[in-house]
Amino acid sequence: MQAMFIDVDGTLSSPCYKVNGKFQIGMSDVQWADYCSKHGEDTYEWCRPVMQVKEYAMKAKEKGTKLYVLTTSGTKIETAAKRRFLDRYYAGMFDDIYAVEHDDDKVRFILKKAAELGIEPSDCELVEDTYRILLQTVTEGIKSTHITTILTAGYSGEAYGSARCQGQSD
């Protein structure tokens, strides 16, 4: 794998937000915009990293894979908050951080980036928690890894379920 793209919300970040004194995993889009506006770069202060995903990505990086964040972000404030979170828990890990406006933009972005890098879509991997988006990557020949594949692999350094799903032997 030459390029790995990893989502933030629900993949690199375990969602946890304090709303009216109570912790919750999320909110409506309107409430989210207000929450981001109110909390600014501290929007992700209660979120924690997903260490299994970090380990999975670092093993790929050790083998020469370029690591990129590919997240959906509705506002500049949200993007800045994600950058602060990434700097806190994943400092120096990623070659670049990209934000798209809608989840459905991720596949087009990866295809464009692959062309810029001079690599095939099959040389790219998306690590994501939204199954619908991963199905879109499958149809384009991009390696697709759902976060649960990493979490349920008993983490041995490689997500065995992903290899099995890609038609590779164990």
Side-chain angles (χ1 to χ4, degrees):
M1 206 51 50
Q2 294 185 43
M4 180 183 290
F5 300 85
I6 308 175
D7 176 52
V8 174
D9 299 300
T11 306
L12 287 170
S13 167
S14 178
C16 183
Y17 309 97
K18 195 171 188 179
V19 179
N20 299 324
K22 295 177 124 180
F23 291 106
Q24 58 189 57
I25 64 165
M27 58 211 80
S28 73
D29 288 345
V30 171
Q31 291 169 319
W32 177 247
D34 183 56
Y35 189 87
C36 288
S37 180
K38 181 178 177 185
H39 294 276
E41 289 188 11
D42 291 328
T43 295
Y44 287 79
E45 74 177 302
W46 300 104
C47 298
R48 294 296 174 257
V50 180
M51 296 311 292
Q52 296 94 325
V53 175
K54 184 176 185 176
E55 291 172 18
Y56 179 80
M58 290 306 292
K59 290 221 178 261
K61 186 173 184 146
E62 290 169 7
K63 295 177 183 177
T65 302
K66 297 282 187 187
L67 300 182
Y68 303 100
V69 169
L70 180 56
T71 188
T72 301
S73 191
T75 65
K76 289 180 182 180
I77 294 169
E78 180 180 355
T79 303
K82 287 180 181 185
R83 283 184 183 275
R84 178 177 273 188
F85 173 82
L86 294 166
D87 287 344
R88 181 176 182 190
Y89 293 107
Y90 300 95
M93 187 170 153
F94 294 99
D95 292 281
D96 215 336
I97 299 170
Y98 300 105
V100 294
E101 191 173 349
H102 303 285
D103 282 346
D104 290 319
D105 297 332
K106 288 183 177 182
V107 173
R108 275 189 305 269
F109 182 90
I110 293 170
L111 294 173
K112 181 181 174 194
K113 188 67 178 173
E116 288 173 9
L117 294 170
I119 61 176
E120 296 297 318
S122 60
D123 294 323
C124 299
E125 177 176 1
L126 176 63
V127 179
E128 169 76 52
D129 66 318
T130 305
Y131 188 65
R132 180 180 60 80
I133 302 306
L134 290 169
L135 292 177
Q136 292 175 14
T137 62
V138 167
T139 64
E140 296 294 339
I142 299 164
K143 182 179 178 186
S144 308
T145 302
H146 193 277
I147 184 175
T148 58
T149 303
I150 296 169
L151 298 177
T152 60
Y155 198 76
S156 62
E158 189 163 330
Y160 68 87
S162 181
R164 199 173 288 144
C165 288
Q166 295 293 325
Q168 301 167 10
S169 61
D170 288 345

